[in-house]
Amino acid sequence: MLSLMQLDIGGAETHVVELAKELKRRGFVPVVTSNGGSYVKELEDAGIKHYVVPLQNKNPLNVLKSVRLLKKIIVEEKIDIVHSHARIPSFILGKLHKVMKFPFVTTAHWVFTLKYGLKYITDWGEKTVAVSEDIKKYLMDNYKIPEGNIRVTINGIDTDKFSPETDDSEIREELGIKDDDTVIVYVSRMDESRSLVAKQLIEIVPELDKLIKNLKVVVVGGGDDFENVKSRTEAVNRKLGRECIVLTGARTDINRLVAPADLFVGVSRAALEAMAAQKPVIIAGNEGYIGLFDEDKLGVGIDTNFCCRGCAESSPKLLLEDIKKYFAMTAEEQRRLGLYGRELIKKEYSVSRMADDSIKVYEWALDKHREEILISGYYGFKNSGDDALLMAIIDDIKRYKDSPELVVLSANPRETVRQYRVKAINRLNIFSIIKHMKKAGMLISGGGTLIQDATSTKSLIYYLTVIKLAQMNNVKVMLYSNGIGPLTNERNIALARKVLNNVELITLRDPAAEGTLREIGVNKPEIIVTADPVFGMNIADREYGRALLERLGIPENTKKLLGVSVRRSKDANGAFECAVAAMCDYAAEKYGCYPVFIPMQMNKDEGISKSIMSRMKARSSIVDIHLDVQDMMSLVASLDVCIGMRLHSLIYATSSRVPLIGLAYDPKIKSFMDYAGQQMCLDIKGIDAQKGKELIDYCFSNYDKIKHELSECNKELNKKALQNGMLAVELYEGGDRI
C-alpha cells in the first residue's frame, strides 16, 4: 500500500504514480490511498486500485476516519508492506504499525519544519527512502535515524513517456502555439510556497518579448496562489496587447505540455521530466537558483535533488540573464544541452532504478531474519584510537553487508549516534543490553585490547560478561581484530579461557596476540591473524592536516614537525618525562623540528603532555581540543616524525608512512612495532634519553628507506585489515565457522 496526502500536481505525487505503475509491471499488487486528485484516473487506467482516504490535513475528524479506513484496507487487501510518502499519512500509519505490526517504510521527499513540536509527531517508519543526499543528512541530523536505515533513491522518470518524440500538434492547437513561436514552459504547483519563480518569470516577460521573436510562455499548475498568478498574467498580457502568457491550471499531461518547449523553467521532478524530453532547462524554485543546467551544475543538482536547497535565491535578474544566455547560443549548442539532459536521465534517473531502490527497502523491512549486530568495546570515551576502531569496524561491515542493523554499546550513546549514524545503547544498562541480545544475530567484541587485566580485573570482567550474555542468548560472537593481554591473574586467565573457547571466531591484530591466546589455552575457535581495522581506512590528507595545525596556532613557517603522543602510566615518571623532553629538544636543535604534543584522549593525556613541555628548552605546542578521527588522522599524516606511546598514534603514523618511534608502556606497543617491521622502540622502564636520540638520528638518516618500508608494510596490512569485515559478515550470514 502506497499512501500520500493527495494526488494533485506535484513531485511526490508523480513519484508515487510512476512507482506504483512500475511495481505493477514487475508483478507487485500496488494499492494507493490518498484524498484523491488529478492523477487518480492515470492510476485506474493502469489497473491500480485507489482508495479515497482523507489524509490531506490534520483535522481530528479526518485523522480518526483515516485510521478506520486504512486499518480496513490493510486487512481486506491483505497488505504485506506499507509505504508512506508524507508526514500526515506517516504519523497515522506509524500508530497503526505499532498495533498491526505490518512492515512500515516511508519516503522523505522534502525537509519539514521542526517547529511547534512537529518533529515529535513525525514517524519515519522502520526503513526510510530519501530522494537526495541532503534529505538523508537532514533525517540523520534532526531525527537521529541510523544511516543504515536510509536508502537514497532518485525521482525516476519514464523516458518513453517524456521523450523528444512526443507529438505536440494537439497541445499547440489547444494553446494557440504557432509553428514559428518561441516557447518557454514552466511547470510547478501554484501554491504560495512553490510559485515564486512563476511570478518572477511573468514579471520579466515584457522585457523578454522585446528580445525574443514570437514569444509564448506556458505556465502549468494549480494551487492556493493560482488567482494571484492569474491576475499578474492578465496584467502582463494586457500590457503586451496579446496572450503572450498562457495559464493552463492543474494538468496531468505534463509530457504533452513540455513537448513544444524550446526552453523549460522549473525545479525538482518537473525539471527532470523536461530533461528526459530533451529540453534545455533552467533550474529555479522557491528554495534557490541553480540556473541553466549543464555538466558544471550536475554536482549541485544531485546534492539538492534538483530542488536548489542552499543555493542562491532566485531572482528576476538571474532568470533574465540565463534566458538571454540560452537564446544567444547557437542552435548546435542548444541541441547539445538538450541531449546532455536526456542522456543523464536515461543513465541515472530511470523509473526502473527508483523501483529497484524501493524494492530493496521493502526487502530490508520484510526480512524477518535481519538480526542486529552488537558492537562492544571502549566506545564513547573520546579516545581517538577507539573512535577510529569503531569507525573502521562500521565501515568494514558496510563494505560487505548492505544496510546492517548495527547497535553500539557506548558510554555516551547520544554522541555515538550523532557521530557514527548507528543505533547505540548505554554500555552499563544491563536491561537494555539483554533486550538487544534477544534481537541480535552476532556480537562483535573489539577492536582494541579488551582481554587483559593490566588496566583492571573489572574491565576484563565487563567484556567477558558481555560475551557470556551473548552466548547465553545463542548469539554468535566474534573477537574483532583484538590485541590480547597481558593476563597475569590465574583466576582471570581461567575465566578468559572458558569464555573465549566458546566464541565462534577470533581475529587478531598481530601474531603476539595469537601466542598469548595459545598460552592461556584458547584453542577451540578459529583464530586468524589479520591487522588493526584502521589499516582498512582511507589514507589521511596530509595537506589538510598541515592546514589544521596552522589553524590551531602552529607556526606557518615550521619546516619539520615532530609529533609526540604520550599518556599516563605507572612507569611514566619524572625520569620518563625528562627523557622525552630531552629527545624533543635534541630533534629541535639538530634537525629543526617543531614538537607538537597530540593527546589522543584529552582528559588522560593533556596533563603529562604539558608536564613534559615544561621540562623542554625548545618551543612546542599542544593540540588542546578534541579532534574527530579523520582530523586526528590527517594531523598525524602531516608530521615528519612521530614519537608514540598511544598505540593508535603509531598506527596512524604507519598508515600515513610517517617514520615513527614507539614508547612501550605495554607489550602491545612492541608487538605492533614488530608486526610493522619497525625496530625503533624504547621500553619506558628505565628509559635512556641517549638511546632515544640515537633513534631520532636513525629516523632522519634513513628517512626515505623507512618511508618505503612503511609503504610496503601498509599494502600487506591493508589487505589483512579488510579480511575482518568479510569474515564478520560471513559468520553473521552463514552460521558457525567451527
Side-chain angles (χ1 to χ4, degrees):
M1 183 174 78
L2 303 167
S3 290
L4 67 167
M5 292 171 66
Q6 53 196 9
L7 275 168
D8 284 321
I9 303 299
E13 291 80 358
T14 313
H15 180 109
V16 172
V17 171
E18 295 297 342
L19 176 59
K21 291 193 296 185
E22 181 65 16
L23 289 173
K24 188 171 190 302
R25 280 194 287 271
R26 297 195 188 193
F28 289 77
V29 183
V31 172
V32 179
T33 63
S34 79
N35 191 50
S38 308
Y39 280 114
V40 171
K41 184 176 185 304
E42 185 170 340
L43 284 174
E44 291 176 342
D45 288 347
I48 296 168
K49 280 188 183 179
H50 175 267
Y51 287 92
V52 177
V53 181
L55 293 164
Q56 76 278 16
N57 58 42
K58 299 185 287 287
N59 181 302
L61 292 177
N62 283 341
V63 170
L64 290 172
K65 185 176 180 181
S66 295
V67 169
R68 179 174 56 80
L69 289 173
L70 289 170
K71 186 174 182 180
K72 183 172 184 254
I73 294 163
I74 290 167
V75 171
E76 291 183 355
E77 291 287 349
K78 298 179 181 178
I79 298 297
D80 294 300
I81 192 159
V82 172
H83 188 173
S84 178
H85 290 262
R87 180 179 248 168
I88 295 170
S90 296
F91 171 73
I92 295 169
L93 287 163
K95 298 300 180 188
L96 282 175
H97 161 70
K98 289 178 173 59
V99 177
M100 300 178 75
K101 307 300 182 185
F102 49 76
F104 182 34
V105 171
T106 63
T107 289
H109 294 271
W110 208 255
V111 294
F112 299 117
T113 179
L114 304 173
K115 296 178 181 177
Y116 317 118
L118 290 173
K119 172 180 177 179
Y120 301 103
I121 63 167
T122 304
D123 195 316
W124 291 111
E126 297 172 285
K127 299 291 177 183
T128 307
V129 182
V131 298
S132 65
E133 287 290 342
D134 66 328
I135 290 179
K136 174 183 174 181
K137 185 175 185 302
Y138 159 84
L139 294 173
M140 292 191 296
D141 289 346
N142 294 287
Y143 294 94
K144 309 307 177 191
I145 298 176
E147 185 174 18
N149 283 3
I150 305 172
R151 188 177 185 91
V152 177
T153 189
I154 44 86
N155 273 316
I157 309 299
D158 185 338
T159 53
D160 291 328
K161 179 178 176 182
F162 288 90
S163 163
E165 306 303 320
T166 302
D167 184 3
D168 66 354
S169 57
E170 289 186 8
I171 211 73
R172 281 180 174 273
E173 184 177 349
E174 178 191 341
L175 301 182
I177 300 172
K178 298 173 183 174
D179 289 343
D180 61 348
D181 282 346
T182 301
V183 182
I184 299 174
V185 175
Y186 172 90
V187 177
S188 177
R189 281 207 305 268
M190 291 301 145
D191 291 339
E192 191 171 352
S193 62
R194 297 286 179 271
S195 60
L196 173 67
V197 175
K199 289 180 281 194
Q200 291 176 345
L201 179 59
I202 291 165
E203 180 184 333
I204 64 173
V205 163
E207 186 151 356
L208 291 175
D209 190 54
K210 298 174 186 174
L211 302 169
I212 300 170
K213 186 179 179 182
N214 301 328
L215 176 66
K216 198 81 166 181
V217 177
V218 179
V219 178
V220 182
D224 59 31
D225 200 32
F226 181 78
E227 290 304 318
N228 183 17
V229 173
K230 182 180 178 183
S231 66
R232 294 179 184 223
T233 296
E234 290 171 347
V236 170
N237 284 340
R238 280 197 301 271
K239 181 177 179 180
L240 297 177
R242 63 186 178 88
E243 192 182 33
C244 181
I245 307 170
V246 178
L247 290 184
T248 70
R251 299 279 289 257
T252 59
D253 56 341
I254 305 301
N255 61 320
R256 295 172 64 245
L257 289 159
V258 167
D262 295 290
L263 177 65
F264 180 89
V265 179
V267 74
S268 189
R269 185 182 184 88
L272 297 175
E273 289 171 342
M275 286 184 213
Q278 208 166 299
K279 305 299 178 183
V281 169
I282 291 175
I283 303 174
N286 276 57
E287 298 284 319
Y289 190 89
I290 291 176
L292 189 60
F293 184 72
D294 58 18
E295 293 178 58
D296 293 339
K297 309 286 176 51
L298 179 59
V300 67
I302 291 172
D303 289 344
T304 67
N305 193 36
F306 296 86
C307 291
C308 313
R309 279 185 293 273
C311 300
E313 290 184 11
S314 181
S315 69
K317 181 181 177 183
L318 286 172
L319 202 55
L320 182 62
E321 287 174 354
D322 267 342
I323 293 173
K324 284 182 179 180
K325 178 181 176 182
Y326 172 73
F327 285 108
M329 290 179 172
T330 65
E332 179 57 25
E333 288 171 332
Q334 293 174 347
R335 191 181 75 85
R336 278 203 299 268
L337 278 183
L339 286 170
Y340 171 70
R342 179 160 174 83
E343 289 306 308
L344 173 68
I345 301 303
K346 287 168 69 177
K347 182 179 177 183
E348 303 290 347
Y349 288 86
S350 68
V351 172
S352 178
R353 184 194 149 183
M354 179 177 73
D356 287 342
D357 291 332
S358 289
I359 291 168
K360 188 66 180 177
V361 175
Y362 300 161
E363 289 171 352
W364 293 351
L366 287 165
D367 186 357
K368 301 302 182 185
H369 303 290
R370 195 173 187 79
E371 298 166 314
E372 293 176 342
I373 299 174
L374 306 186
I375 305 176
S376 168
Y378 189 70
Y379 306 127
F381 292 96
K382 292 187 179 296
N383 180 304
S384 181
D386 291 286
D387 289 348
L389 284 170
L390 180 56
M391 179 180 289
I393 291 170
I394 290 169
D395 289 346
D396 285 351
I397 301 300
K398 288 180 178 177
R399 186 177 289 114
Y400 299 103
K401 176 72 178 171
D402 194 9
S403 187
E405 296 278 357
L406 302 176
V407 181
V408 177
L409 280 59
S410 171
N412 189 341
R414 182 174 295 183
E415 178 64 19
T416 298
V417 169
R418 184 196 68 78
Q419 191 168 354
Y420 300 101
R421 313 299 196 184
V422 294
K423 294 178 184 176
I425 58 174
N426 191 307
R427 73 198 299 268
L428 298 179
N429 187 331
I430 187 66
F431 300 107
S432 184
I433 292 171
I434 291 172
K435 175 184 173 183
H436 282 274
M437 286 291 183
K438 295 185 183 303
K439 298 187 289 183
M442 183 168 72
L443 169 72
I444 286 174
S445 183
T449 312
L450 307 181
I451 309 303
Q452 50 84 21
D453 59 9
T455 302
S456 71
T457 293
K458 183 179 176 182
S459 170
L460 174 68
I461 296 300
Y462 170 80
Y463 293 113
L464 291 177
T465 299
V466 172
I467 293 171
K468 187 63 180 174
L469 280 172
Q471 292 168 343
M472 290 168 62
N473 284 276
N474 296 315
V475 174
K476 288 173 282 192
V477 178
M478 174 183 177
L479 266 62
Y480 197 104
S481 190
N482 274 207
I484 304 291
L487 286 163
T488 56
N489 182 287
E490 287 300 323
R491 292 180 65 183
N492 291 344
I493 291 171
L495 181 60
R497 178 170 57 243
K498 182 179 179 181
V499 173
L500 298 185
N501 266 324
N502 287 298
V503 306
E504 279 71 24
L505 176 64
I506 298 175
T507 62
L508 301 169
R509 70 183 176 205
D510 57 56
E514 182 181 19
T516 303
L517 272 185
R518 301 298 188 194
E519 283 174 18
I520 67 172
V522 177
N523 48 36
K524 290 184 181 179
E526 183 175 7
I527 299 174
I528 302 171
V529 178
T530 57
D532 192 284
V534 172
F535 283 106
M537 297 176 71
N538 292 331
I539 296 173
D541 186 340
R542 174 182 170 84
E543 294 307 314
Y544 174 77
R546 282 281 174 141
L548 180 61
L549 282 171
E550 287 177 15
R551 289 202 298 273
L552 292 173
I554 308 305
E556 275 185 55
N557 57 356
T558 302
K559 292 183 179 178
K560 293 179 183 175
L561 291 174
L562 172 71
V564 185
S565 169
V566 291
R567 57 161 291 167
R568 284 290 177 200
S569 165
K570 64 179 193 245
D571 296 311
N573 51 26
F576 166 79
E577 292 182 12
C578 288
V580 175
M583 290 170 67
C584 292
D585 282 336
Y586 180 75
E589 182 179 351
K590 185 169 182 180
Y591 297 103
C593 292
Y594 186 89
V596 180
F597 284 78
I598 307 169
M600 299 283 281
Q601 189 173 16
M602 188 65 67
N603 63 342
K604 295 189 177 181
D605 301 353
E606 184 178 25
I608 189 171
S609 297
K610 288 183 174 178
S611 181
I612 293 171
M613 291 169 70
S614 71
R615 298 173 186 270
M616 290 168 51
K617 298 175 184 176
R619 288 179 61 208
S620 62
S621 295
I622 184 170
V623 177
D624 58 1
I625 61 171
H626 174 73
L627 298 177
D628 66 23
V629 171
Q630 295 294 352
D631 283 356
M632 183 67 84
M633 291 183 73
S634 294
L635 187 151
V636 173
S638 74
L639 303 174
D640 294 284
V641 174
C642 177
I643 299 174
M645 187 172 171
R646 285 280 189 183
L647 175 62
H648 276 86
S649 68
L650 299 172
I651 289 174
Y652 292 173
T654 302
S655 68
S656 293
R657 291 73 167 163
V658 174
L660 65 161
I661 297 169
L663 300 176
Y665 75 98
D666 182 284
K668 66 184 180 183
I669 303 299
K670 182 68 166 59
S671 296
F672 169 73
M673 294 293 285
D674 288 344
Y675 196 33
Q678 299 298 304
Q679 303 306 312
M680 293 171 291
C681 193
L682 293 171
D683 192 324
I684 72 166
K685 290 181 183 178
I687 189 171
D688 182 350
Q690 181 56 38
K691 177 65 174 172
K693 293 175 184 178
E694 290 172 6
L695 291 182
I696 290 171
D697 287 336
Y698 182 84
C699 274
F700 284 103
S701 300
N702 299 274
Y703 200 79
D704 291 337
K705 174 177 174 286
I706 294 169
K707 287 183 77 69
H708 176 73
E709 290 172 352
L710 292 174
S711 182
E712 293 302 307
C713 171
N714 260 288
K715 293 175 186 176
E716 187 63 27
L717 293 181
N718 175 263
K719 290 178 188 175
K720 291 184 175 182
L722 294 178
Q723 284 184 273
N724 292 309
M726 179 183 67
L727 292 167
V729 172
E730 281 182 5
L731 176 63
Y732 173 75
E733 294 186 334
D736 295 352
R737 293 176 55 87
I738 58 175

